[in-house]
Amino acid sequence: DFAGPRARRWPFGPCLFPSGSAAASAPALCRTSPLFLPNVRASPSHPTHLDTMGRRPAKCYRYCKNKPYPKSRYCRGVPDPKIRIYDAGKKRAAVDEYPTTVHLVSDEKEQLSAEALEAARVACNKYLVKSGGKDSYHIRIRAHPFHVLRINKMLSCAGADRLQTGMRGAFGKPQGLAARVNIGQTIISVRSKDSNKHNLIEALRRASYKFPGRQKIFVSRNWGFTKYTKDEYKALRAAGKLIDDGSHVKYLANKGPIEA
C-alpha cells in the first residue's frame, strides 16, 4: 500500500502511511514534519526532504560589492561553470564572409552568473538557427566567469538551533561562478552578413532578458570582429596590407627586410 495504486500523494511528497490508517487523514504539512514521522529522524547526517532548496536568486550576487575572488590553490572545491562553449555557429568562417557585427553591451557595473551567460547563449543561438540557419552567423561570448560566489549554508532541520552558530565563521563555501562586467563592456558579439542584421539585433534582444540590469545593443562600424572600420578594411585589403588570421586579420607593417 506504500507504493501501489492506493498510495496517496501529497504536495510535500508521497504518503508514508497506509491509505486506510488514521494518520493518513492528517494535514499534509503536519504529516511530513520531522516531529510527526515515526521512522524519519532529522539530523545533519540524515536531513529530511524539506531541507532541499534550489539556488539563491541572482539578486543576492548581482552587485560587485567585494574584491574579485578567483579560483586558486587557496580557493579550492570550486564547481565548474555552467557555460562551457563560448563560440557557436560557423566559427571557422573567413573574415571576409561576415562583415556585419552587433554587440550586446552592459550598461551597469554588475556580476553575471555563469548560468545567466549559458541561458543567453542558448537563447541567442536558438533564434539565429531558426531564422537564418546554423551556418549563417558566428556568436562569441565575451564575458568569462572567473569570480567565485560563496554561500554560508544554514541548517534547516529540527534541532538546528543547537548545531549552528549564527554569524560565527560565516565565510561561505564556493557555490558558483560569475563574470564581473563594467559599464560599456561587451558581453556578446555576433557577426554575419549584411542581410542578416535585423536577426542579429533580435537575437541579442532576446538574450538580454536573461541578464539582470540594463544592456544596450550596438551595430558596429567595424568589419566583423576586426578593429578596422569597413572603409579602412576595404582600403587595406586592396593595398595588400592584411592577411587572414581566422576571424581576425593581421596588419603588415612597413618593417622587416628590404625586398629587392
Side-chain angles (χ1 to χ4, degrees):
D1 207 32
F2 292 103
R6 294 177 61 196
R8 295 195 178 184
R9 293 277 174 175
W10 298 88
F12 293 89
C15 178
L16 300 182
F17 301 97
S19 59
S21 65
S25 61
L29 184 59
C30 298
R31 294 174 53 258
T32 53
S33 68
L35 300 178
F36 189 85
L37 299 182
N39 299 323
V40 177
R41 180 178 299 171
S43 66
S45 60
H46 186 88
T48 64
H49 61 279
L50 290 178
D51 295 329
T52 57
M53 60 178 293
R55 292 174 54 245
R56 283 182 179 172
K59 65 182 180 182
C60 299
Y61 302 105
R62 172 179 170 184
Y63 300 106
C64 296
K65 297 188 298 183
N66 304 315
K67 296 178 182 179
Y69 188 58
K71 180 180 178 181
S72 66
R73 55 180 174 172
Y74 310 108
C75 176
R76 298 181 296 273
V78 179
D80 291 332
K82 286 294 185 291
I83 180 169
R84 308 296 289 179
I85 300 171
Y86 293 88
D87 285 83
K90 194 175 180 181
K91 298 176 287 188
R92 298 184 180 274
V95 65
D96 288 332
E97 190 172 347
Y98 294 151
T100 300
T101 303
V102 182
H103 302 292
L104 182 68
V105 178
S106 174
D107 203 29
E108 290 188 21
K109 183 179 180 182
E110 59 181 353
Q111 296 180 165
L112 306 177
S113 68
E115 289 83 2
L117 290 170
E118 173 67 9
R121 182 193 68 83
V122 170
C124 185
N125 187 65
K126 185 173 293 186
Y127 181 80
L128 289 175
V129 168
K130 183 178 69 173
S131 60
K134 65 178 183 178
D135 288 334
S136 63
Y137 62 93
H138 176 200
I139 301 174
R140 176 166 290 172
I141 307 297
R142 305 277 296 276
H144 289 241
F146 292 123
H147 179 71
V148 178
L149 304 176
R150 300 189 299 265
I151 182 172
N152 182 26
K153 286 188 178 179
M154 308 289 278
L155 297 174
S156 59
C157 57
D161 52 345
R162 286 175 282 135
L163 299 173
Q164 60 194 17
T165 56
M167 291 302 292
R168 178 182 296 176
F171 195 87
K173 297 289 190 294
Q175 184 205 22
L177 291 162
R180 295 162 68 95
V181 296
N182 290 312
I183 297 174
Q185 181 175 340
T186 304
I187 303 173
I188 305 175
S189 297
V190 190
R191 65 185 180 118
S192 184
K193 297 180 179 179
D194 291 335
S195 59
N196 205 25
K197 182 173 70 174
H198 63 285
N199 288 330
L200 304 185
I201 296 173
E202 174 63 17
L204 291 181
R205 187 192 69 84
R206 296 187 177 204
S208 67
Y209 288 117
K210 308 300 180 182
F211 297 125
R214 181 173 54 193
Q215 293 81 32
K216 292 183 177 179
I217 297 174
F218 291 94
V219 178
S220 177
R221 292 177 302 211
N222 294 349
W223 184 286
F225 288 163
T226 67
K227 62 180 180 180
Y228 305 106
T229 65
K230 293 183 178 180
D231 294 336
E232 292 174 347
Y233 182 87
K234 292 177 182 178
L236 291 173
R237 178 66 84 178
K241 290 287 188 179
L242 300 177
I243 56 174
D244 292 347
D245 187 26
S247 60
H248 296 265
V249 289
K250 287 183 179 179
Y251 176 71
L252 297 176
N254 294 325
K255 63 179 183 179
I258 300 176
E259 297 182 0

